[in-house]
């Protein structure tokens, strides 16, 4: 119980300082887990083990972030996305809703590999210049992307569905077929979220009309310090297409390595002198260092909360404190809080620690393991992409130009509300038993 209390206090403290912006994320993710480790009596060897495990889990994402952000920043500076921006604005003009719908279509294709990081890396850089030109807030843009990602996140070959199926001991495609009516609703809801964000942004003045549109295009062109030659533009375009091909084709290369090679070729192709190359590398490194520090700091938090046993203790405590009359319907009532539970426990603990306990409790009352897994699969997915403990989210936050605190503050109510609405609709459709 004491271990669980410390875990809850750690989560609450982190959420507070991040959302209220009382402390820089790297500071919070380093100091709070250290204090929590002291309070639970961990010795130096144990704490060192937590840190080593946590940093190891975050290393690939940190490298991915560093090189992917640098690559897309360079491509944007060189004007790679300008024709796309001009084409889309030329076609839809002031129809900001059409642009938001285009965002979720691109995000859907980008997420076919089931990777949140790759979706951020493809969908956000493509539309960020457009959203900036139309004065759309980054949190609304990012909120639209994650609304679609929540539905795509549970594709049969995705990590969450495989985890849930393994816990329930059912076939992955059988589980997906079981939840398919709810999944269809989730895609409709994703479109609704996109329309909601677009209309709210339009109401606050986003979008351009008439002469304003022409001025914005001229300003956008003027801000580019150097216009790339046609041959250099083709080089950058081909390089980006080849890189995306390797991301989707899955030849076995690590994602972060693909971006490392792409960035090296981009620097080599765009800047001839060693001095210029060094200056750009230094510039990009300075821009990315804060978020890279944040990612490594998150690794410390993940290591402490998972390796110390706090996650399992919190999951058990949540179940034990609930009233007895809720027990036969425990899966349903806990699913109402699936989003904050996902944010607090993390993906692995959510599926491998919480769900098995719930299955054991409700199965004697006639609720099948498949139904429990389905319940938390379609509701918990909405918490994945607003969780400060999911490393890939920092890639999305940085690319869209916001902070993790602002992202949570703006999109938590929408994602949590969507989760509850999906639960209610799935129950009405007969997918989820009460």
């Amino acid at each position: 119980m004491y271990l669980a209390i410390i875990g809850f206090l750690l989560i609450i403290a982190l959420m507070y300082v991040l959302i209220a912006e009382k402390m820089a994320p790297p500071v919070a993710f380093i100091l709070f887990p250290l204090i929590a480790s002291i309070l639970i009596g961990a010795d130096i060897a144990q704490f060192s083990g937590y840190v080593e495990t946590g940093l190891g889990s975050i290393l690939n994402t940190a490298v991915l972030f560093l090189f992917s952000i640098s690559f897309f920043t360079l491509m944007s500076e060189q004007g790679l996305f300008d024709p796309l921006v001009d084409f889309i604005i030329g076609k839809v003009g002031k129809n900001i809703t059409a642009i938001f719908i285009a965002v979720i279509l691109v995000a859907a294709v980008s997420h076919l590999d089931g990777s949140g990081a790759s979706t951020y890396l493809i969908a956000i850089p493509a539309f960020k210049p457009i959203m900036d030109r139309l004065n759309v807030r980054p949190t609304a843009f990012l909120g639209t992307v994650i609304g679609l990602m929540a539905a795509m996140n549970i594709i049969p070959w995705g990590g969450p569905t495989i985890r849930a199926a393994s816990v329930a001991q059912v076939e992955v495609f059988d589980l997906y077929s079981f939840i398919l009516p709810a999944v269809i609703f989730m895609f409709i809801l994703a479109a609704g979220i996109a329309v909601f964000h677009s209309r709210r942004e339009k109401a606050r003045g986003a979008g351009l009309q008439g002469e304003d549109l022409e001025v914005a295009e001229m300003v956008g062109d003027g801000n580019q310090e150097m216009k790339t030659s046609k041959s250099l533009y083709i080089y950058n375009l081909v390089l980006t297409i080849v890189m995306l091909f390797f991301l989707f084709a899955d030849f076995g290369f690590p994602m972060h390595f693909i971006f490392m090679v792409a960035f090296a070729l981009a620097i080599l192709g765009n800047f001839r002198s060693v001095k210029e190359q060094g200056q750009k590398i230094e510039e990009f490194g300075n821009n990315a260092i804060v978020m890279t520090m944040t990612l490594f700091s998150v690794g410390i938090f993940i290591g402490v909360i998972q390796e110390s046993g706090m996650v399992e203790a919190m999951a058990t405590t949540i179940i034990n404190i609930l009233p007895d009359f809720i027990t036969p319907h425990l899966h349903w009532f806990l699913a109402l809080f699936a989003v904050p539970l996902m944010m607090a426990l993390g993906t692995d603990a959510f599926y491998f620690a919480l769900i098995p306990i719930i299955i054991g409790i409700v199965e004697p009352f006639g609720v099948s393991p498949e139904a429990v897994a389905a319940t938390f699969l379609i509701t918990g997915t909405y918490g994945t992409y607003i969780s400060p403990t999911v490393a890939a989210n920092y890639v999305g936050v940085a690319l869209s130009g916001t902070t993790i605190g602002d992202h949570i503050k703006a999109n938590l109510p929408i994602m949590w509300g969507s989760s509850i609405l999906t639960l209610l609709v799935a129950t009405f459709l007969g997918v989820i038993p009460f």
Side-chain angles (χ1 to χ4, degrees):
M1 184 67 175
Y2 177 72
L3 195 61
I5 292 173
I6 298 300
F8 285 124
L9 291 175
L10 174 58
I11 293 292
I12 293 170
L14 277 171
M15 290 294 183
Y16 171 73
V17 298
L18 290 176
I19 295 175
E21 297 184 351
K22 298 291 185 180
M23 193 177 293
V27 177
F29 279 116
I30 291 172
L31 293 183
F32 285 178
L34 174 60
I35 295 171
S37 296
I38 294 172
L39 292 176
I40 65 174
D43 57 32
I44 295 177
Q46 288 174 316
F47 180 73
S48 297
Y50 303 157
V51 171
E52 185 176 350
T53 301
L55 291 178
S57 70
I58 218 77
L59 179 61
N60 289 347
T61 302
V63 176
L64 169 66
F65 170 84
L66 183 62
F67 284 93
S68 63
I69 295 294
S70 299
F71 177 82
F72 282 117
T73 300
L74 174 57
M75 292 298 104
S76 181
E77 286 182 357
Q78 297 298 89
L80 178 66
F81 304 111
D82 287 354
L84 175 64
V85 173
D86 294 337
F87 173 79
I88 292 178
I89 290 182
K91 288 294 183 181
V92 304
K94 62 183 180 181
N95 191 345
I96 193 171
T97 300
I99 296 177
F100 273 75
I101 295 298
V103 168
I104 64 172
L105 292 176
V106 172
V109 175
S110 305
H111 205 72
L112 285 173
D113 64 349
S115 169
S118 64
T119 306
Y120 287 135
L121 290 165
I122 295 170
I124 295 180
F127 285 93
K128 181 67 165 63
I130 303 173
M131 295 302 185
D132 287 345
R133 195 178 296 186
L134 297 177
N135 300 311
V136 171
R137 289 176 296 182
T139 52
F141 174 31
L142 185 56
T144 300
V145 174
I146 67 169
L148 188 282
M149 289 169 69
M152 286 293 295
N153 192 41
I154 54 176
I155 52 179
W157 52 89
T161 307
I162 293 173
R163 291 183 182 95
S166 64
V167 167
Q169 297 183 350
V170 296
E171 292 294 329
V172 172
F173 280 91
D174 289 343
L175 178 60
Y176 194 76
S177 299
F178 184 77
I179 64 173
L180 189 57
V183 173
I184 294 172
F185 170 75
M186 293 170 72
F187 280 106
I188 296 173
L189 185 57
I193 291 172
V195 173
F196 168 77
H197 279 300
S198 68
R199 292 184 175 178
R200 189 166 67 170
E201 290 303 292
K202 187 175 181 180
R204 57 173 291 276
L208 299 172
Q209 302 180 24
E211 294 180 359
D212 292 335
L213 183 58
E214 295 177 7
V215 171
E217 289 178 354
M218 288 189 293
V219 170
D221 290 341
N223 281 339
Q224 189 176 329
E225 294 181 0
M226 67 173 78
K227 299 299 290 183
T228 56
S229 65
K230 185 176 181 180
S231 59
L232 187 54
Y233 180 86
I234 293 174
Y235 173 82
N236 288 333
L237 179 62
V238 171
L239 175 61
T240 302
I241 292 174
V242 171
M243 181 205 68
L244 295 177
F245 171 74
F246 272 87
L247 285 179
F248 277 108
D250 191 18
F251 288 113
F253 294 109
M255 189 183 299
H256 57 278
F257 176 73
I258 294 173
F259 272 100
M260 291 173 75
V261 174
F263 176 70
L265 293 175
I267 287 289
L268 188 63
N270 285 272
F271 305 101
R272 299 302 181 188
S273 72
V274 174
K275 182 178 180 180
E276 282 184 308
Q277 293 173 7
Q279 287 175 341
K280 296 307 294 185
I281 291 172
E282 182 179 357
E283 177 187 328
F284 294 138
N286 289 337
N287 292 338
I289 190 63
V290 174
M291 192 57 67
T292 305
M293 290 175 64
T294 299
L295 284 169
F296 281 118
S297 304
V298 170
I300 295 176
F301 165 79
I302 292 174
V304 168
I305 198 168
Q306 291 186 353
E307 297 301 312
S308 67
M310 288 184 195
V311 166
E312 291 80 0
M314 287 190 292
T316 304
T317 300
I318 290 170
I319 293 170
N320 290 340
I321 63 176
L322 293 173
D324 291 339
F325 73 87
I326 289 180
T327 302
H329 317 287
L330 183 63
H331 65 293
W332 200 93
F333 283 104
L334 274 184
L336 293 171
F337 304 93
V339 167
L341 285 171
M342 174 65 79
M343 295 174 69
L345 300 178
T347 305
D348 286 339
F350 184 85
Y351 289 105
F352 294 133
L354 180 65
I355 294 181
I357 298 174
I358 298 172
I359 288 175
I361 293 174
V362 300
E363 194 170 11
F365 296 95
V367 181
S368 69
E370 184 180 39
V372 175
T375 302
F376 287 92
L377 185 61
I378 64 175
T379 55
T381 184
Y382 286 100
T384 303
Y385 296 112
I386 52 173
S387 173
T389 64
V390 175
N393 290 342
Y394 291 90
V395 176
V397 164
L399 285 170
S400 59
T402 186
T403 65
I404 190 68
D406 286 343
H407 175 46
I408 295 172
K409 187 162 45 178
N411 292 310
L412 174 56
I414 298 172
M415 290 295 102
W416 196 352
S418 298
S419 173
I420 294 174
L421 183 58
T422 299
L423 175 64
L424 295 174
V425 171
T427 304
F428 174 77
L429 293 175
V431 175
I432 303 301
F434 177 74

